[in-house]
Amino acid sequence: MSNATPIDLQHELKSPVPPTTRKPRHRRRGRLLVGVGVLLLLAAGFALAHFWSPHANLRVTTGPEGGALQRFMAAFVSVSAIQHPRVHLELLQVPDLTAGAKALEDGRTDLAIVRSDAAAPSNAQTIVILRRDVVALVLPPHSKISSVAGLAGKTVGIVAGPVQVNNAQALDTLLSFFNVPAKDVHRIFLPVAELGQAVQEKKIEAVLAVGPMAPGEVVDVVAALARATKGTPGILAIDDAEAIGKRFPGFESIDVPVGAFRARPATPSDTVTTLAVTYRFAASELMTNVVAAAIARSILTTKTKLMAATPLANQIEAPDPDDKSPILPVHPGVAAYLSGGDQSFLDQFQQYFYVIGIGTSIMGSVFALISSYWSRRRCDDDWRPIRRLVEIADEAPGAERLALEALERETQTIASSVLGRQPGVVGAERLSAFSTALSHARHALDSRKATLGPQTGPSTGPKPTPTLVAVQ
């Protein structure tokens, strides 16, 4: 290449053979794949961000119709719509607590209000405790009953209402612990207003009431009996409450302080140990930790607003994150939130962002490999004409006249193809190398042509192309 001189590329473009301006098909395909890869990467990022962002469409049971729990759910949905517009709650009406538990177990709802002693779903985990109700056996003044076993052969009144069946089942469970057949204890269901009269007429010897240590069912029953008997009712102590709770995990032991149900005269008159059940907002164990934590946080932080809508919200409490109860255990996401507060809640998001980051990184690596592959192919395609021109220069000195004409035609085609590309497609470095290789090839062809001398017979090839003007 010592005799090679740069050529006038403008003159080369004016060659009789029209240059092609069409881009190579592989390059167009490469750019298309790169564009598609970028769009797919962006779409995947948006999809992951949308999926893992704190939003949810949740189905929620309402609790027994006409009950306090149904009113609470209505208040919760109303407050949640304002505080968390991205959380859409779809209410599912159920006739009773058992039906609500069944709906959660069957996957027909995401959240349900369940009672710890009433057929708790096997797949349920606690989000928050809505209320803790005392299971109280209220006795009229001067009652001779001193233990649960003493109820045998007696009639127990049960407050009529949406959960009367569940309360009756609680009584049967309590009797079974003391080996008292359920059939030996008669029970009648009466409204609170009629219980006092039934006690006064000695139709019932005790009343089973299940309610909080606050305004509610037990307080109302104590007041009704006090008015009817003109005395101070008592609360039957269950000293075996802790043992009962271990055998029947739906129950727990609770100490009722003096005057919890009536201040003057105090009822009970002394601290009494009895049983309690809990109403819980429960979710399926399949609910993600971040959603469960978000729901718990929403309820606990909006408790004041919920109290303005329903007094029941005053009894909401966070579950014990260390509770290892075999039924209705605390959801892991809620336990993490309660243990670490907001920081733990954010940590949950960071875990998901970490997963998203891994996915994005993998997709980026794949994209980089594809891009590198097409870049190498593009580089090879750019240098292929230069290598061919060098090969033509090497072949020219030994070529006969017909082969020489073929090499000239191929050289012209290569020049037209490369120089006919759009500006900027070929880099300055490759264009300079191409110019040098083209000059080298033309010099070798012209030298061989001069060696062969003028053509004496008719030529079968195309007319010679105009000589390229060298750039001085």
Side-chain angles (χ1 to χ4, degrees), residues 292-318:
I295 295 171
R297 184 176 186 273
S298 175
I299 295 176
L300 295 174
T301 56
T302 58
K303 182 176 177 178
T304 303
K305 292 183 174 63
L306 291 172
M307 286 171 56
T310 172
L312 178 63
N314 185 51
Q315 302 163 35
I316 293 175
E317 61 180 274

Side-chain angles (χ1 to χ4, degrees), residues 392 394-409 444-453 455 459-461:
I392 290 174
D394 293 338
E395 295 173 9
E400 298 300 329
R401 190 174 300 277
L402 290 179
L404 187 65
E405 291 177 354
L407 292 176
E408 282 189 311
R409 290 194 298 271
L445 292 170
D446 291 343
S447 297
R448 180 56 178 170
K449 187 182 297 183
T451 301
L452 293 176
Q455 185 176 355
S459 176
T460 58

Side-chain angles (χ1 to χ4, degrees), residues 5 15 54 91 110 139 162 180 224 259 297 315 335 367 407 423-424 463 468:
T5 58
S15 172
L91 294 178
D110 302 296
L139 305 174
V180 178
R297 184 176 186 273
Q315 302 163 35
F367 173 74
L407 292 176
K463 294 181 180 181
L468 298 178

Side-chain angles (χ1 to χ4, degrees), residues 15 32 38 66 97 116-117 167 171 187 211 257 276 282 287 298 318 321 366 426 447-448 450:
S15 172
L32 177 62
V38 171
L97 292 171
S116 58
D117 68 318
N167 292 347
L171 177 61
R187 70 282 313 272
M287 180 176 286
S298 175
V366 173
V426 181
S447 297
R448 180 56 178 170

Side-chain angles (χ1 to χ4, degrees), residues 41-102:
L41 186 61
L42 291 175
F46 281 118
L48 288 171
H50 175 77
F51 180 77
W52 292 116
S53 61
H55 75 285
N57 296 314
L58 303 173
R59 297 160 297 173
V60 188
T61 60
T62 60
E65 186 174 2
L69 296 174
Q70 187 182 45
R71 294 193 296 273
F72 167 79
M73 280 309 308
F76 174 66
V77 170
S78 177
V79 172
S80 180
I82 299 174
Q83 296 292 119
H84 305 283
R86 297 196 67 191
V87 178
H88 175 68
L89 299 176
E90 178 184 349
L91 294 178
L92 176 65
Q93 182 66 53
V94 291
D96 52 41
L97 292 171
T98 302
K102 182 65 174 174

